[in-house]
Amino acid sequence: MFATIKYVLGLRRPMGDFRIAVLASGSGSDLQSIIDGVEDGSIDGRIVVVISDNEDAYALTRAEDHGIEPRYVSRKGLKRAEHEDAVSDVIDSFDTDLIVLAGYIRILTPAFIARHRGKMINIHPALLPLYGGPGMYGMHVHEAVLASGDRTSGCSVHFVDEKVDGGPIIAQRTVPIEDGDTPETLQARVLEEEHRLLPEVVGLIAAGRVTLDGDRVIISD
Ligand code: GRF
């Protein structure tokens, strides 16, 4: 619940100095869409650190290739809360304004969420609140969507709260489901849309146009 928070992200700093941390476990194609948005000027801010729990994540290579600090935070020998504290310490050491979960395949504890409340967003490859929650990640999502017989899917960007894939929705985009779709073809169509939606939302937040008022998101003109 965000019941008493009225929070405008992005207004704390002079324009252009909006500082973003991206957490990613895999290939980082969503990360790349934010990098592109920063580099083409549509996001008035910069990614200051990319953090991964996977040493081999291509997301870390993408970061390096674009002059962004890559940080691998190993889970080896650490309890979940200890690993999260290590991740939080890195985030805080970069003095970030926004944390983007971009394919970060970890269930987060309430303590981690509370520590970053109101400044952490996630992208999910379905039209939430449908097809979210524990076990709904990667191809599982697209398999469930196709099994349902729905004619439309899409992607959602939302603030992160204690519910897995819960939290106030900032923006969504739809894609059609076509005859003969497989989970792979649907995933590719949704991912294309993710790569448009995510940098748009990050750009809006960096511009101070996204207000979280209780559980409602207001986007100003
Ligand atoms: C996307 O399906 C996104 O919705 C989910 O992770 C996938 C992106 O992975 N959260 P990547 O950015 O290509 O690693």
Side-chain angles (χ1 to χ4, degrees):
M1 284 289 288
F2 290 87
T4 55
I5 298 175
K6 182 154 188 178
Y7 196 88
V8 184
L9 279 158
L11 293 184
R12 195 158 71 76
R13 295 187 188 271
M15 295 299 270
D17 198 25
F18 187 79
R19 298 167 68 83
I20 304 160
V22 178
L23 274 57
S25 301
S27 105
S29 70
D30 280 336
L31 160 69
Q32 187 66 50
S33 73
I34 306 173
I35 292 174
D36 293 345
V38 168
E39 291 184 352
D40 72 17
S42 56
I43 296 172
D44 194 8
R46 62 198 169 104
I47 304 172
V48 289
V49 64
V50 170
I51 302 171
S52 187
D53 58 330
N54 171 12
E55 195 171 10
D56 302 320
Y58 188 58
L60 293 173
T61 307
R62 291 184 198 263
E64 259 188 300
D65 289 349
H66 291 268
I68 301 162
E69 184 80 26
R71 288 291 177 94
Y72 162 55
V73 182
S74 171
R75 283 188 270 125
K76 273 187 211 114
L78 297 184
K79 297 200 173 82
R80 181 138 65 118
E82 292 169 340
H83 178 253
E84 284 186 345
D85 283 348
V87 170
S88 285
D89 289 345
V90 174
I91 291 170
D92 291 352
S93 73
F94 280 86
D95 193 18
T96 56
D97 299 295
L98 176 69
I99 303 157
V100 182
L101 306 181
Y104 189 62
I105 315 293
R106 310 285 309 153
I107 302 272
L108 304 168
T109 65
F112 184 83
I113 291 162
R115 184 161 167 180
H116 305 291
R117 178 177 291 277
K119 59 177 265 193
M120 184 157 60
I121 65 170
N122 180 49
I123 182 153
H124 185 77
L127 296 173
L128 292 172
L130 298 174
Y131 310 107
M136 279 292 167
Y137 62 90
M139 214 50 93
H140 301 295
V141 176
H142 306 293
E143 284 163 2
V145 170
L146 288 180
S148 74
D150 288 358
R151 301 305 306 188
T152 306
S153 190
C155 49
S156 309
V157 179
H158 63 97
F159 282 104
V160 175
D161 75 5
E162 287 78 5
K163 295 181 290 297
V164 178
D165 299 319
I169 292 171
I170 305 168
Q172 295 179 303
R173 278 299 143 67
T174 60
V175 304
I177 293 172
E178 290 170 7
D179 294 338
D181 259 341
T182 63
E184 289 76 16
T185 58
L186 180 57
Q187 181 189 46
R189 195 174 309 119
V190 171
L191 202 52
E192 248 181 65
E193 207 52 54
E194 288 182 36
H195 296 160
R196 283 189 276 269
L197 181 64
L198 185 58
E200 264 182 53
V201 170
V202 172
L204 287 170
I205 293 172
R209 289 178 52 193
V210 176
T211 307
L212 184 54
D213 187 2
D215 280 338
R216 228 157 51 89
V217 172
I218 300 160
I219 300 177
S220 59
D221 292 335

